[in-house]
Amino acid sequence: MSSIISTNLQFMEILVDLHETVKVSISNKKRWQLAFATIYCSRAFLSPFKKQQIINKFTPPNEISSDWRKISPNPSSRIVIDVVEKHPVFPDIDQPILTNLVKEKSLNQLAKLGGVEGISSSLKTNQQNGINDTNPEVIVSRHEAFGMNTYQKPPTKSFFHYAYEALKDPTILILLICAALSLGFGMKEDGPKEGWYDGGSIFVAVFLVISVSAVSNFRQSRQFDKLSKVSNNIPVEVVRNGRRQQISIFEIVVGDVVCLKIGDQVPADGLFIDGHSLQVDESSMTGESEHVEIDQIMNPFWFSGTKVADGYAKMLVTSVGMNTTWGEMMSTISGDSDEQTPLQARLNKLTSSIGKVGLLVAFLVLVVLLVRYFTGNTEDENGNKEFNGSKTKVDDVINGMVGIIAAAVTIVVVAIPEGLPLAVTLTLAYSMKRMMADQAMVRKLSACETMGSATTICTDKTGTLTLNQMKVTKFWQGKETIEGKNYTLISSNVLELFHQGISLNTTGSVYKASKLCLDFEFSGSPTEKAILSWAVLELNMDMDAVKRDCNIVNVQAFNSEKKRSGILMKKAGDGTSHVHWKGAAEMILALCSHYYDLEGNVKALNDDERTKFDQIIQGMAASSLRCIAFAHKQVSQSENGEENKRIEENGLTLLGFVGLKDPCRPGVKKAVEDCQYAGVNIKMITGDNVFTAKAIATEWDT
Ligand SMILES: Nc1ncnc2c1ncn2[C@@H]1O[C@H](COP(=O)(O)OP(=O)(O)OP(=O)(O)O)[C@@H](O)[C@H]1O
Ligand SMILES: [Ca+2]
């Protein structure tokens, strides 16, 4: 310790001397001395603690001498003051609290902030109706307080970066060395006027290779940036002002209520509001392949960048953009897309092995020539021995050696096929440009190569081959089809069940701007939208009224495996419980034991009738309709006490079928023909009824 103090005091004296030279007044000088003395003495006094911390790291605790320990300060006595200015519009909450809440999945902190309810009121949003965006200031103040939903991208690399990358290539380096050698030897041999030809031309070739590959890589990265801007801009469903609408993912702000369903990407960090059968794929964050369940109590936290694997839900956005856990992760890793295509990689390998062989051969040639030269086995033009022991002039020896080395260098230059990978890069970049002109997005250069060898294309049906604009065009109630607008034929009890089944057992929603207004806005998947608009416009369904009269007890969300969704509900009026199912007609029919006829009577479903219904379904499918069935069952109270929330799946009563028409996309026939002409098979992949799929596949032939 004494040594530390003495060095510090020495240092102090030097500083004080310095002050003397600039003529500081005596009183000032004294104050300086005092200040230095205080600072350095306290430092000298504290330095053992620092030392001790280092010792602590490297020695087990029992080896630290007891006197160190006596004066060691409590490490936890340090105070960190985090000063975050609160935004005047949101005085109760700030971004770091929200970010940490989700990142650490802290249920305690959530409870302290008053749960999701408390946070949504601090964020001035409504869990049902979302934020009120009638005033654009609202969005602006949220941007100011919590930021935008965009991620900082690593700065785009300049042209010189790519030139430098190309220059780093080992073959290029070898060529450059060869060029320098060849230039030097050439000038030595043939004089500066003519001797630079060989070396100079290698330099020009290297320059060409570097500039061409840098230009093509640079343009490719620009194109990639442009494409990723388009492909990152995904539409997201949010509720604003009570109205469900689609906005761009970049427009999402903190406080938004986002509607998520199976297959959606979570657009920001947030909290669970409500939802059913939720499973989330967090593998992009954690690498864990098992799906994580999200619910109100145990795990109400959503992470940006994850994916909904099952179910549907509403989420309250708490952080966006760089404030999300995903954003934080993105800022620590830089996405490098300088990937080589498989062909490029193989060619580069080939080039470098050819180069290695070339080097080896050149080396062997060098050795052989040198040996031959020095053993006197070579002759000049006049037939004299080139090397005559000590009689040869030094200048001649050097000239001879230069000639030999130049020959070896030439072998290396010739052996390296530097143009080969360059030719491939150029060809791929050219085909990428051609494909862009044909409106085909190529994200990775290697895709061109892969596509070139594709023999089969598997395509989704809905939305790719069809327009994804579904509409109910056929309706069967019991065994009767209802033609035209004769919906008054449906008996009132069946109609009521239809209303309940459709308005409660859905992931879509209906929005009506005002009571008087007759315009409705439907949202949800195309299937849901079609059914809802049909029910509201044709069956006069009032979704809000039904929701007021009935309470949903349990939900089984739709997924493509089961092809159906079900609910258990309780009527507020008489307290009876009902189960409603909706789904692919053949799936629902298999669960039914009875059906309602047109008069509203329940009839048993015998084998004959089942065949009849099968024919109805096949008939609809054959005219390329997606066929959806509705079924109902009243469950008794004893069977369904408080603890029994199971949604019955057996002994249902069939209500009816609807047939949804999804028009084919124009131009598909030509596209399919083009593919077939090019020798590429087309396979259609769909969860629809096989007859519907067949009908749609053959529809283009008509
Ligand atoms: N929202 C829904 N509620 C109930 N049943 C549905 C719903 N959507 C689809 N179905 C039924 O489930 C079947 C499978 O639907 P899904 O959306 O999984 O098909 P898919 O595999 O995506 O095929 P495609 O690409 O042709 O739509 C459909 O044929 C339909 O009968
Ligand atoms: Ca689909």
Side-chain angles (χ1 to χ4, degrees), residues 272-519:
F272 177 90
I273 297 178
D274 60 32
H276 296 281
S277 341
L278 258 190
Q279 299 267 327
V280 172
D281 175 4
E282 289 188 356
S283 58
S284 60
M285 302 277 296
T286 56
E288 185 64 59
S289 62
E290 208 141 281
H291 294 163
V292 179
E293 215 162 288
I294 291 193
D295 56 29
Q296 195 116 40
I297 300 148
M298 296 306 291
N299 178 25
F301 305 104
W302 292 95
F303 286 108
S304 169
T306 56
K307 229 174 181 172
V308 184
D310 200 0
Y312 58 91
K314 273 194 196 152
M315 154 187 144
L316 172 72
V317 175
T318 56
S319 2
V320 292
M322 294 309 282
N323 294 321
T324 61
T325 317
W326 177 254
E328 245 172 54
M329 247 165 62
M330 290 293 281
S331 64
T332 54
I333 44 174
S334 65
D336 235 346
S337 60
D338 305 343
E339 241 174 74
Q340 286 183 331
T341 79
L343 181 64
Q344 270 177 327
R346 277 203 302 268
L347 280 179
N348 276 349
K349 215 169 138 196
L350 182 72
T351 315
S352 74
S353 26
I354 292 178
K356 275 179 205 153
V357 173
L359 272 179
L360 186 74
V361 171
F363 179 73
L364 287 180
V365 169
L366 183 76
V367 170
V368 169
L369 286 181
L370 282 179
V371 168
R372 269 171 60 90
Y373 179 82
F374 283 114
T375 50
N377 281 328
T378 50
E379 292 171 350
D380 57 15
E381 298 101 58
N382 309 328
N384 302 325
K385 269 190 189 175
E386 278 189 301
F387 185 74
N388 249 335
S390 51
K391 282 178 219 147
T392 326
K393 280 189 235 149
V394 178
D395 212 31
D396 286 345
V397 174
I398 291 180
N399 276 342
M401 296 267 286
V402 165
I404 290 170
I405 295 177
V409 166
T410 313
I411 291 176
V412 176
V413 173
V414 172
I416 298 175
E418 182 52 46
L420 198 57
L422 177 71
V424 174
T425 312
L426 281 182
T427 323
L428 285 179
Y430 176 69
S431 48
M432 189 160 149
K433 211 178 146 202
R434 283 280 299 273
M435 282 167 85
M436 283 285 276
D438 285 347
Q439 320 258 308
M441 294 220 295
V442 187
R443 277 185 76 139
K444 278 202 183 132
L445 211 50
S446 57
C448 298
E449 223 180 286
T450 318
M451 280 306 290
S453 41
T455 53
T456 306
I457 295 176
C458 299
T459 164
D460 187 43
K461 175 175 70 66
T462 312
T464 311
L465 300 179
T466 67
L467 285 173
N468 212 1
Q469 294 161 355
M470 295 201 203
K471 196 165 184 287
V472 174
T473 55
K474 195 102 185 145
F475 175 52
W476 290 74
Q477 207 267 284
K479 285 188 287 184
E480 318 293 327
T481 172
I482 296 196
E483 299 286 358
K485 303 252 163 183
N486 252 339
Y487 293 109
T488 42
L489 289 177
I490 308 170
S491 66
S492 62
N493 62 330
V494 175
L495 193 63
E496 191 195 341
L497 291 175
F498 262 115
H499 285 180
Q500 286 170 4
I502 295 175
S503 30
L504 302 174
N505 185 10
T506 181
T507 51
S509 70
V510 179
Y511 175 76
K512 195 173 165 187
S514 70
K515 281 240 152 47
L516 296 171
C517 181
L518 281 176
D519 276 348

Side-chain angles (χ1 to χ4, degrees), residues 115 347 538 686:
L347 280 179
E538 310 287 352
T686 175

Side-chain angles (χ1 to χ4, degrees), residues 474-633:
K474 195 102 185 145
F475 175 52
W476 290 74
Q477 207 267 284
K479 285 188 287 184
E480 318 293 327
T481 172
I482 296 196
E483 299 286 358
K485 303 252 163 183
N486 252 339
Y487 293 109
T488 42
L489 289 177
I490 308 170
S491 66
S492 62
N493 62 330
V494 175
L495 193 63
E496 191 195 341
L497 291 175
F498 262 115
H499 285 180
Q500 286 170 4
I502 295 175
S503 30
L504 302 174
N505 185 10
T506 181
T507 51
S509 70
V510 179
Y511 175 76
K512 195 173 165 187
S514 70
K515 281 240 152 47
L516 296 171
C517 181
L518 281 176
D519 276 348
F520 294 95
E521 265 179 40
F522 302 97
S523 48
S525 76
T527 311
E528 298 283 8
K529 273 202 289 201
I531 294 173
L532 284 177
S533 72
W534 169 74
V536 168
L537 301 175
E538 310 287 352
L539 300 185
N540 293 321
M541 180 181 86
D542 183 349
M543 202 157 161
D544 292 333
V546 178
K547 279 191 175 164
R548 250 178 277 127
D549 293 344
C550 310
N551 295 318
I552 298 178
V553 182
N554 195 7
V555 174
Q556 212 176 81
F558 172 81
N559 69 33
S560 297
E561 214 173 307
K562 294 180 302 183
K563 298 192 190 177
R564 57 184 151 95
S565 64
I567 55 149
L568 173 67
M569 54 151 254
K570 206 170 188 146
K571 263 199 188 165
D574 53 12
T576 51
S577 296
H578 302 259
V579 165
H580 280 281
W581 283 100
K582 174 186 86 184
E586 63 279 8
M587 300 297 208
I588 298 292
L589 183 63
L591 308 176
C592 291
S593 59
H594 293 77
Y595 71 97
Y596 283 101
D597 68 5
L598 202 53
E599 285 77 45
N601 306 316
V602 177
K603 297 245 173 97
L605 197 64
N606 57 29
D607 284 350
D608 278 351
E609 250 118 23
R610 206 174 277 280
T611 334
K612 179 96 205 331
F613 281 119
D614 275 335
Q615 281 166 356
I616 293 176
I617 296 171
Q618 278 181 25
M620 274 206 267
S623 47
S624 73
L625 299 181
R626 166 172 278 197
C627 195
I628 304 275
F630 298 88
H632 159 258
K633 182 182 189 179

Side-chain angles (χ1 to χ4, degrees), residues 1-277:
M1 181 139 94
S2 63
S3 74
I4 298 168
I5 290 179
S6 72
T7 49
N8 279 334
L9 285 178
Q10 268 168 15
F11 182 42
M12 186 180 87
E13 259 163 29
I14 296 168
L15 278 172
V16 173
D17 284 348
L18 213 128
H19 268 273
E20 264 174 350
T21 55
V22 287
K23 299 237 160 34
V24 187
S25 70
I26 307 251
S27 67
N28 270 356
K29 192 178 129 188
K30 273 201 175 146
R31 281 207 337 246
W32 270 107
Q33 274 177 340
L34 191 73
F36 276 121
T38 321
I39 291 169
Y40 282 103
C41 286
S42 65
R43 279 211 187 153
F45 185 68
L46 277 174
S47 57
F49 304 138
K50 284 184 193 152
K51 223 181 198 171
Q52 190 226 355
Q53 277 173 358
I54 298 167
I55 293 170
N56 267 342
K57 268 190 195 155
F58 297 109
T59 45
N62 54 358
E63 280 177 31
I64 304 167
S65 67
S66 54
D67 52 346
W68 285 125
R69 222 176 292 161
K70 257 183 254 154
I71 44 170
S72 80
N74 178 3
S76 64
S77 67
R78 239 175 285 149
I79 302 166
V80 178
I81 305 169
D82 221 351
V83 187
V84 179
E85 234 177 88
K86 296 218 160 108
H87 193 273
V89 184
F90 307 100
D92 307 333
I93 201 127
D94 59 42
Q95 188 59 62
I97 295 181
L98 289 170
T99 305
N100 274 331
L101 171 73
V102 175
K103 190 172 151 195
E104 276 154 25
K105 293 193 170 187
S106 162
L107 288 168
N108 283 342
Q109 181 72 7
L110 182 63
K112 261 189 227 157
L113 293 167
V116 181
E117 189 68 49
I119 291 180
S120 46
S121 71
S122 306
L123 289 175
K124 304 217 162 19
T125 182
N126 181 299
Q127 290 187 26
Q128 291 314 314
N129 297 330
I131 54 177
N132 183 342
D133 66 342
T134 34
N135 184 356
E137 294 269 306
V138 172
I139 305 289
V140 175
S141 65
R142 280 168 202 272
H143 280 161
E144 275 170 11
F146 307 109
M148 314 258 264
N149 197 22
T150 47
Y151 297 105
Q152 265 165 25
K153 267 192 270 144
T156 43
K157 290 173 186 146
S158 69
F159 175 77
F160 293 104
H161 170 86
Y162 291 102
Y164 177 65
E165 288 282 297
L167 189 67
K168 274 200 313 200
D169 190 280
T171 36
I172 292 281
L173 290 180
I174 295 176
L175 276 178
L176 278 177
I177 295 170
C178 291
L181 287 177
S182 173
L183 193 68
F185 294 146
M187 300 228 281
K188 169 115 188 43
E189 214 168 350
D190 304 326
K193 247 197 167 160
E194 288 178 359
W196 64 271
Y197 291 158
D198 278 359
S201 49
I202 301 177
F203 271 123
V204 171
V206 168
F207 174 76
L208 271 181
V209 168
I210 289 177
S211 47
V212 169
S213 67
V215 166
S216 93
N217 283 343
F218 179 65
R219 280 183 41 182
Q220 196 183 311
S221 80
R222 279 290 141 94
Q223 226 150 26
F224 179 80
D225 284 351
K226 244 197 269 170
L227 286 182
S228 53
K229 230 178 246 162
V230 178
S231 59
N232 287 345
N233 186 5
I234 42 180
V236 179
E237 278 205 341
V238 297
V239 183
R240 281 188 182 174
N241 233 349
R243 180 170 164 198
R244 205 157 130 176
Q245 48 190 292
Q246 261 193 357
I247 61 172
S248 153
I249 187 169
F250 302 129
E251 288 169 26
I252 293 214
V253 292
V254 169
D256 259 330
V257 173
V258 178
C259 305
L260 294 164
K261 59 174 189 312
I262 176 167
D264 283 351
Q265 188 196 321
V266 179
D269 280 6
L271 297 167
F272 177 90
I273 297 178
D274 60 32
H276 296 281
S277 341

